[in-house]
Amino acid sequence: MNKPPTWTPAQKQAIAYRGGNLLVTAGAGSGKTAVLTARCISLLTDTKNPCGLEELLVLTFTNAAAGEMRRRIGSELRRFPVGAQHQRHLERQTALLDQADICTIHA
């Protein structure tokens, strides 16, 4: 079983921010992919105001990071139990994952 990440205050702030667009910058190996994945899941599963993948544009520098984010988001969406709040919304997001704008800056 994977241990949940221990987020820094800045990472927590990036994940929870709801004021509009957000730019996450940090050095290699600092957890950007994990933070962006957690932010996407937080936005998609928000019980008061969930957004849809069609509302997100997630940019990264490498195809590997984009693919990893897509894989992690799908994995997290599938972890919600049947009957979870917003079940249809979550199922739709999982179905839309392949078409989501999760890509490189150059794409």
Side-chain angles (χ1 to χ4, degrees):
M1 185 183 235
N2 289 345
K3 179 182 164 190
T6 301
W7 303 113
T8 67
Q11 289 171 324
K12 287 179 189 177
Q13 184 179 11
I15 293 166
Y17 180 72
R18 296 293 188 269
N21 297 331
L22 180 70
L23 174 65
V24 175
T25 61
S30 61
K32 290 181 300 296
T33 300
V35 168
L36 287 173
T37 299
R39 177 169 171 72
C40 289
I41 292 299
S42 176
L43 290 165
L44 295 169
T45 61
D46 187 302
T47 56
K48 293 182 182 175
N49 189 25
C51 79
L53 279 167
E54 67 277 4
E55 299 175 73
L56 299 178
L57 172 61
V58 183
L59 298 176
T60 187
F61 284 101
T62 68
N63 288 323
E68 182 64 16
M69 270 192 276
R70 190 179 304 275
R71 186 191 65 73
R72 289 181 189 183
I73 290 168
S75 177
E76 286 296 317
L77 287 173
R78 287 187 277 284
R79 288 183 59 202
F80 283 85
V82 173
Q85 189 172 12
H86 305 303
Q87 183 66 40
R88 285 188 183 178
H89 171 74
L90 297 174
E91 289 170 355
R92 183 170 188 276
Q93 300 319 300
T94 302
L96 291 173
L97 193 56
D98 287 338
Q99 292 86 35
D101 289 323
I102 303 170
C103 54
T104 65
I105 292 171
H106 300 89

